[in-house]
Amino acid sequence: PDAVYGWVKLSGEHLARHARAEGLAVTVVRPFSGYGPDQDLTYPFPSFIDRAVRRADPFEVWGDGRQVRDWVHIDDVVGATLALVEAGVDGPVNLCTGVGTSMDELAAMAMAAASHDAPVEHHLDAPVGVAHRVGDPAGMLRWFTPRWTVEAGVADAVDRARMEA
């Protein structure tokens, strides 16, 4: 764990081991940076889509833009979770793609999908989280293969945002 957030997750996994020892079926999943329809704009993925569709100029990115995340579509989080539970997988299992995308790369993808070009303005004093969070999907891939790439997710999100506008 790299922060309190990680320690809380690890504590939950420790409690799950105790529950298993008492005979309860427990599947522990570790979803990485999820995104999908109806996500609140306080999260980076939908806020980037919103900025691109609104043609924000400049395009704001918190931090230096080099923070990397493993973006996983909510449909894949749900699909993987159901597959793991159905198979009785004990876990913990990372729900991720194994593909890292920096915030600057995500901004560029969003702008390209929205046919928008603007300078990126980095806000170095804004909260940024950890520098790099990419998972190993090997455990998940035994039971489920993600259907969404981040590029397809960005294109879909831009299309949805345009329809709602």
Side-chain angles (χ1 to χ4, degrees), residues 42-136:
T42 58
Y43 292 93
F45 192 98
S47 68
F48 280 29
I49 299 303
D50 179 67
R51 289 175 196 151
V53 170
R54 281 189 301 102
R55 307 185 72 70
D57 188 357
F59 192 103
E60 296 180 0
V61 173
W62 289 9
D64 63 12
R66 293 182 292 177
Q67 314 89 286
V68 173
R69 297 293 179 269
D70 188 331
W71 300 103
V72 59
H73 194 281
I74 188 62
D75 289 353
D76 289 334
V77 171
V78 171
T81 300
L82 293 174
L84 294 165
V85 169
E86 185 175 301
V89 175
D90 206 8
V93 177
N94 292 335
L95 304 186
C96 58
T97 66
V99 177
T101 303
S102 74
M103 295 298 172
D104 277 349
E105 290 169 327
L106 184 64
M109 279 185 224
M111 285 193 282
S115 300
H116 174 51
D117 186 28
V120 173
E121 180 178 281
H122 294 103
H123 291 264
L124 301 178
D125 57 342
V128 296
V130 298
H132 189 91
R133 183 172 286 141
V134 177
D136 177 358

